[in-house]
């Protein structure tokens, strides 16, 4: 690796696919990325925040062997950042051990001088000084990404996995849409204040939304009003103070489109807004605006999807 950066994102690719948070980690490191795994050339082309890419193709994702081969590659890089995806979390601990560095897990922000770590279920943020070489994992869906830039051609590195006692992957299961982290969801149905009528059980309405989303192969999200009311977990909150998402499809039910919420939407390929107000910000930015009562539309969808959920 020529011209070693001050910070380097290490991203594990599987079958040419990038994990959630890959571009956020790249952006946090000024666009310097080492992508390692299977299908790395295809994965390299998928970056939107990378400015320098090194690629190391390996036949299998073997965490112990990968950590052993990565340690010398990052020896002269002060701060190494991995997205806190399943593979990222798995490799980070081993890489920290192999390179004799401290591991700072669950960061919401990282600079060459310090990292902000999320603790106590996101209710506490702790700033730690990075006064020695370190490994950091960055929580996906928090930092967001800048305007996309074309991915450069990767510099290919040749690595050979050593024979070590290692974990063996038996099977990789796709996450269920209902429980997948929102930052990784490709389709999201979002519920806002306009989805719950006065006096209604908001938690039951959100269960209906979740059932409809699951039937459509999507995940359920919510605005801050919904999560603050306790009708959905804060891990489902979309926004600048919640999870930053970037789905292919976002369907907003009764979402007005407050700046805090819209700021966490990223750049969805398609947006549909269901709202009685044709002039609300959410409908104004949507590809398709349905001027209708959001609770009625949701119930009708649930009915047509063979009772996907009960209101």
């Amino acid at each position: 690796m020529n011209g070693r950066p001050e910070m380097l994102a290490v991203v594990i690719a599987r079958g040419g696919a990038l994990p959630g948070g890959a571009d956020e980690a790249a952006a946090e490191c000024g666009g310097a990325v080492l992508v390692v795994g299977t299908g790395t050339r295809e994965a390299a082309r998928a970056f939107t925040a990378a400015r320098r890419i090194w690629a190391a193709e390996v036949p299998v994702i073997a965490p112990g062997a990968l950590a052993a081969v990565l340690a010398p590659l990052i020896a002269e890089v002060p701060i190494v950042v991995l997205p806190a995806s399943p593979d990222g979390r798995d490799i980070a601990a081993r890489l920290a051990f192999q390179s004799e560095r401290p591991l700072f897990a669950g960061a919401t922000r990282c600079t060459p001088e310090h990292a902000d770590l999320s603790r106590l279920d996101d209710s506490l943020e702790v700033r730690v000084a990075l006064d020695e070489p370190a490994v950091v994992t960055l929580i996906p869906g928090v930092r967001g990404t800048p305007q996309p830039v074309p991915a450069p051609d990767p510099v290919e590195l040749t690595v050979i996995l050593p024979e070590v006692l290692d974990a063996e992957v038996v099977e990789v299961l796709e996450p269920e849409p209902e429980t997948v982290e929102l930052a990784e969801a490709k389709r999201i149905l979002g519920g806002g204040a306009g989805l719950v009528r006065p006096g209604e059980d908001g938690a039951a309405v959100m269960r209906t939304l979740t059932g409809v989303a699951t039937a459509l192969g999507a995940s359920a999200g919510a605005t801050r009003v919904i999560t603050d009311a306790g009708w959905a977990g804060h891990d489902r909150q979309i926004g600048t103070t919640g999870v930053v998402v970037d789905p292919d499809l976002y369907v907003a039910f009764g979402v007005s489109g407050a700046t805090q919420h819209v700021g966490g939407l990223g750049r969805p390929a398609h947006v549909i807004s269901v709202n009685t107000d044709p002039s609300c910000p959410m409908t104004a930015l949507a590809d398709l605006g349905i001027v209708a009562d959001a609770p009625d539309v949701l119930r009708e969808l649930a009915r047509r999807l063979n009772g996907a959920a009960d209101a």
Side-chain angles (χ1 to χ4, degrees):
M1 294 174 60
N2 296 323
R4 286 176 172 81
E6 193 173 20
M7 295 177 65
L8 177 69
V10 174
V11 175
I12 311 302
R14 284 183 178 270
L18 295 175
D23 268 306
E24 288 176 289
E28 202 75 347
C29 295
V33 184
L34 168 59
V35 56
V36 60
T38 58
T40 52
R41 286 194 63 84
E42 180 183 353
R45 290 194 295 269
F47 276 103
T48 65
R51 298 182 181 275
R52 286 185 292 170
I53 303 177
W54 294 269
E57 184 76 14
V58 294
V60 294
I61 307 296
L66 276 178
V69 85
L70 285 171
L73 292 178
I74 57 100
E76 296 182 23
V77 179
I79 307 300
V80 174
V81 178
L82 295 91
S85 59
D87 280 327
R89 295 193 300 267
D90 201 4
I91 299 294
R94 292 172 167 83
L95 183 57
F97 176 79
Q98 286 283 349
S99 57
E100 298 183 346
R101 299 175 178 220
L103 168 64
F104 296 101
T108 58
R109 177 181 175 83
C110 183
T111 74
E113 292 79 29
H114 68 264
D116 296 333
L117 309 179
S118 176
R119 296 293 183 263
L120 299 177
D121 293 329
D122 300 330
S123 62
L124 177 66
E125 188 172 85
V126 178
R127 174 162 290 188
V128 296
L130 301 179
D131 48 15
E132 61 178 317
V135 175
V136 179
T137 60
L138 187 70
I139 299 173
V142 173
R143 293 292 287 152
T145 56
Q147 288 296 318
V149 296
D153 291 332
V155 176
E156 296 191 17
L157 305 177
T158 300
V159 298
I160 299 176
L161 295 181
E163 293 286 341
V164 298
L165 181 63
D166 217 331
E168 179 184 351
V169 177
V170 176
E171 185 179 5
V172 178
L173 301 177
E174 291 296 320
E176 294 293 331
E178 184 176 348
T179 58
V180 68
E181 294 181 2
L182 278 181
E184 299 185 12
K186 295 302 181 185
R187 297 177 180 177
I188 299 176
L189 271 57
L195 186 59
V196 182
R197 294 191 176 107
E200 280 190 323
D201 183 349
V205 173
M206 288 305 297
R207 286 195 295 271
T208 301
L209 181 70
T210 300
V212 169
T214 301
L216 296 174
S219 301
T223 64
R224 183 170 182 171
V225 171
I226 296 293
T227 59
D228 282 353
W231 298 332
H234 282 282
D235 62 327
R236 299 285 107 183
Q237 179 183 324
I238 299 169
T240 53
T241 58
V243 179
V244 178
V245 299
D246 196 16
D248 294 332
L249 172 66
Y250 180 61
V251 184
F253 287 89
V255 177
S256 64
T259 302
Q260 184 274 339
H261 180 75
V262 173
L265 278 182
R267 293 177 292 274
H270 303 286
V271 175
I272 298 174
S273 174
V274 183
N275 204 299
T276 54
D277 182 2
S279 302
C280 71
M282 195 75 245
T283 301
L285 66 82
D287 301 289
L288 173 63
I290 300 175
V291 182
D293 186 63
D296 286 344
V297 173
L298 180 64
R299 288 186 175 86
E300 180 62 16
L301 277 173
R303 185 187 70 79
R304 294 193 178 211
L305 293 168
N306 299 317
D310 294 324

